[in-house]
Amino acid sequence: MCTARRRAPRRAQAGVTLIELVLFIVVVGVAVTGILGVMSLTARNSADPQLRKQALAVAQGMLDEIAGARFTYCAVNDPAAETAGGEAACTTKEAFGIQGGAAQRPYDNVNDYVDSDGGKALYTTDVAGNPFSALAGQYAATVSINTVALNGIAAPNALHIRVSVAYGDKQQVVLDGYRTRYAPNSIP
């Protein structure tokens, strides 16, 4: 009698090989690295919504302050200020730059909010002299005011006001407004 051993039937392999496991780890690692890189880039380049809201509030406050200032023919201390029919009737013309003895904000005339040469002016505090934010130095407002013709109103009697507030890393909010000379003899 032949005693042959019976071979047990081979079972199919279960699980994964070492090569398959290493390839899976490499593929998942590359995918996770790519996703994290995109998320990091997005977070780094997006503006913080709170900073943008505060910058917008600073810009709106500056624009409201400037637009609410007088826009008169003459300087406040001019003898003809209350009766002048135009800028030519003034002894001292209300020019760009601080006039009429107003040394701090709010100024007595809309033209006082820019440099004496009619250029831009930089502000870092509110009317009371407080920094724009609890984060001192976080915001800086640049103001420019130019004469423009506006819907039939001659250029000397209408102004374009631009307030630009810089914040964060090269971020800014820009607001534009207009002011007309509707009460040219309004002297306190």
Side-chain angles (χ1 to χ4, degrees):
M1 233 190 318
C2 185
T3 56
R5 286 185 157 174
R6 281 190 176 172
R7 287 188 169 211
R10 273 186 121 179
R11 286 190 258 165
Q13 287 184 349
V16 293
T17 65
L18 183 60
I19 293 174
E20 291 172 333
L21 181 62
V22 170
L23 284 175
F24 174 76
I25 291 172
V26 168
V27 168
V28 169
V30 168
V32 167
T33 302
I35 290 170
L36 290 176
V38 168
M39 289 175 62
S40 173
L41 180 68
T42 303
R44 192 173 345 130
N45 292 333
S46 68
D48 183 0
Q50 183 65 28
L51 293 177
R52 184 162 179 79
K53 284 181 183 179
Q54 288 176 338
L56 183 59
V58 168
Q60 186 64 50
M62 284 295 298
L63 185 61
D64 289 347
E65 178 185 333
I66 294 167
R70 285 180 212 77
F71 184 24
T72 58
Y73 290 130
C74 307
V76 174
N77 59 357
D78 190 304
E82 294 181 358
T83 59
E87 292 177 0
C90 300
T91 308
T92 57
K93 182 180 176 186
E94 181 63 74
F96 285 105
I98 299 172
Q99 304 288 320
Q104 53 184 312
R105 294 176 30 215
Y107 297 129
D108 66 351
N109 199 302
V110 69
N111 292 331
D112 296 340
Y113 284 89
V114 293
D115 290 338
S116 58
D117 62 356
K120 295 180 180 179
L122 180 68
Y123 295 92
T124 56
T125 62
D126 62 14
V127 176
N130 303 315
F132 280 134
S133 165
L135 308 169
Q138 186 72 30
Y139 303 98
T142 305
V143 175
S144 66
I145 300 174
N146 301 302
T147 57
V148 294
L150 180 67
N151 293 334
I153 301 171
N157 293 321
L159 298 175
H160 173 244
I161 304 166
R162 173 167 281 176
V163 177
S164 174
V165 177
Y167 66 97
D169 184 30
K170 299 180 183 176
Q171 301 286 330
Q172 73 174 357
V173 171
V174 178
L175 292 181
D176 291 305
Y178 293 90
R179 175 72 159 84
T180 60
R181 195 183 319 239
Y182 56 82
N185 301 100
S186 177
I187 306 298

